[in-house]
């Protein structure tokens, strides 16, 4: 009897390692290190908190959020998406399904948190099947955006060779657009980015193939603690064009 009680107690402790709480507007996933909120309205993630520090900052437009989108043709969220919360002994997650029966396209976004980890696992499934309209054009792009709205992140890191400071607010205020998503920012010549990297600021400078181990953001807070937010891909062979396909590592943050 006392052994059974002990075993049940152990299971109860493990089972509560990843907590899922729900309100009318969101589901919150948390373990001892990290927590995040999944918005019921669109599946976007807000309020990623790591040991008391906000990694995304407050929501302002699309900023302050982590989400996947499809700016090009083909895939989109639908009004009646469905969601399923899954929970195991030491993990929990959510699968959000957007099944567009009007076109035959399917989007499934999944976010999982394991106990003892400080990372969020992200899975994306895109499918299209339509016998009468077998081709609905190029996928174009799918972006999973970590879009902070906090001064914590000062550095942009592409790979172990290429990184730079994020241009300051002053540099951005004085910039001159020269072509698509490309600005001359040397009107502020003492800007660290200008001194260390280039006179021009563009996300294309930070493009890379998929052979890097990780890319992301780095910063040090007021009390001297260093933070990193890294996108780490578990399996690159199924990326469009395989691991050698060139892609943007930085987008939507300036
Ligand atoms: C964000 O998450 C933290 C940690 O779970 C919580 O204390 C805080 O109230 C949340 N903030 C908002 C705006 O929901
Ligand atoms: C979502 O709405 C569409 C159009 O009203 C409908 O055809 C489809 O069956 C609905 N899907 C679900 C999962 O309810
Ligand atoms: C999407 O909707 C189609 C048509 O109703 C259905 O056959 C299919 O099973 C659905 N897929 C998922 C993953 O819900
Ligand atoms: C296939 O696409 C056509 C044209 O967009 C649409 O009318 C039809 O409902 C789609 N069929 C399926 C099974 O999604
Ligand atoms: C991929 O990028 C890395 C780092 O920029 C570079 O060293 C390597 O040659 C590239 N590989 C291919 C096949 O393009």
């Amino acid at each position: 009897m006392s052994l059974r009680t002990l075993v049940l107690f152990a299971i109860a402790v493990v089972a509560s390692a990843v907590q899922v709480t729900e309100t009318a507007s969101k589901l919150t996933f948390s373990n001892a290190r990290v927590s995040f909120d999944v918005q019921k309205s669109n599946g976007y993630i807000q309020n990623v908190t790591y040991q008391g520090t906000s990694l995304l900052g407050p929501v302002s437009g699309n900023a302050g959020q982590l989400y996947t989108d499809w700016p090009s043709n083909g895939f989109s969220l639908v009004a009646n998406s469905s969601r399923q919360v899954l929970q195991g002994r030491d993990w929990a997650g959510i699968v959000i399904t957007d099944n567009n029966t009007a076109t035959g396209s399917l989007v499934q976004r999944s976010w999982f948190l394991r106990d003892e980890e400080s990372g969020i696992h992200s899975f994306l499934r895109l499918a299209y099947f339509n016998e009468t309209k077998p081709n609905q054009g190029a996928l174009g792009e799918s972006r999973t955006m970590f879009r902070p709205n906090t001064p914590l992140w000062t550095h942009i890191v592409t790979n172990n060779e290429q990184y730079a400071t994020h241009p300051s607010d002053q540099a951005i205020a004085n910039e001159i657009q020269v072509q698509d998503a490309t600005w001359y920012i040397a009107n502020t010549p003492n800007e660290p980015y200008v001194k260390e990297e280039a006179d021009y600021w563009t996300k294309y400078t930070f493009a890379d193939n998929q052979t890097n181990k990780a890319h992301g953001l780095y910063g040090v807070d007021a009390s001297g603690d260093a933070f990193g937010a890294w996108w780490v891909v578990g399996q690159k062979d199924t990326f469009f064009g395989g691991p050698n396909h060139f892609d943007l590592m930085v987008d939507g943050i300036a």
Side-chain angles (χ1 to χ4, degrees), residues 2-42:
S2 80
L3 182 62
R4 178 177 291 178
T5 311
L6 254 182
V7 168
L8 286 177
F9 178 69
I11 289 170
V13 169
V14 172
S16 65
V18 177
Q19 309 261 1
V20 185
T21 57
E22 181 169 359
T23 69
S25 61
K26 67 191 183 192
L27 287 138
T28 299
F29 294 82
S30 62
N31 63 19
R33 299 165 201 265
V34 69
S35 74
F36 60 92
D37 299 340
V38 179
Q39 302 306 305
K40 287 183 177 175
S41 59
N42 57 7

Side-chain angles (χ1 to χ4, degrees), residues 47-232:
N47 195 24
V48 177
T49 305
Y50 173 68
Q51 294 185 339
T53 296
S54 171
L55 302 187
L56 285 169
V59 174
S60 172
N62 278 332
Q65 302 189 91
L66 165 57
Y67 59 91
T68 308
D69 70 3
W70 302 271
S72 315
N73 289 332
F75 294 92
S76 59
L77 305 185
V78 297
N80 56 351
S81 47
S82 62
R83 63 176 174 271
Q84 190 182 8
V85 174
L86 300 162
Q87 228 167 332
R89 198 169 56 87
D90 56 359
W91 58 268
I94 186 167
V95 180
I96 303 163
T97 301
D98 286 83
N99 196 354
N100 193 335
T101 48
T103 62
S105 75
L106 174 83
V107 173
Q108 259 178 339
R109 296 167 294 163
S110 305
W111 305 100
F112 283 84
L113 180 64
R114 297 176 71 132
D115 187 28
E116 296 297 330
E117 289 187 352
S118 53
I120 304 170
H121 295 256
S122 164
F123 301 88
L124 174 66
R125 178 180 171 216
L126 300 175
Y128 176 70
F129 180 73
N130 186 319
E131 276 181 352
T132 56
K133 195 181 177 220
N135 182 350
Q136 71 168 355
L139 166 61
E141 64 180 347
S142 142
R143 315 184 299 177
T144 294
M145 308 287 282
F146 182 85
R147 203 159 192 171
N149 183 30
T150 153
L152 176 62
W153 306 115
T154 50
H155 287 69
I156 299 160
V157 183
T158 302
N159 53 40
N160 58 10
E161 291 168 6
Q162 166 66 20
Y163 68 90
T165 55
H166 188 286
S168 67
D169 290 346
Q170 201 202 347
I172 290 169
N174 290 290
E175 70 193 9
I176 299 167
Q177 182 157 20
V178 293
Q179 63 173 50
D180 165 56
T182 305
W183 294 268
Y184 177 74
I185 62 164
N187 287 328
T188 45
N190 292 324
E191 168 70 21
Y193 178 91
V194 174
K195 285 181 157 171
E196 295 163 15
E197 181 71 25
D199 289 351
Y200 295 89
W201 156 249
T202 174
K203 61 189 177 185
Y204 303 113
T205 297
F206 301 91
D208 195 11
N209 60 47
Q210 304 285 344
T211 61
N212 67 40
K213 295 266 194 302
H215 65 268
L217 301 168
Y218 171 81
V220 177
D221 75 3
S223 47
D225 289 328
F227 290 82
W230 308 110
W231 175 252
V232 181

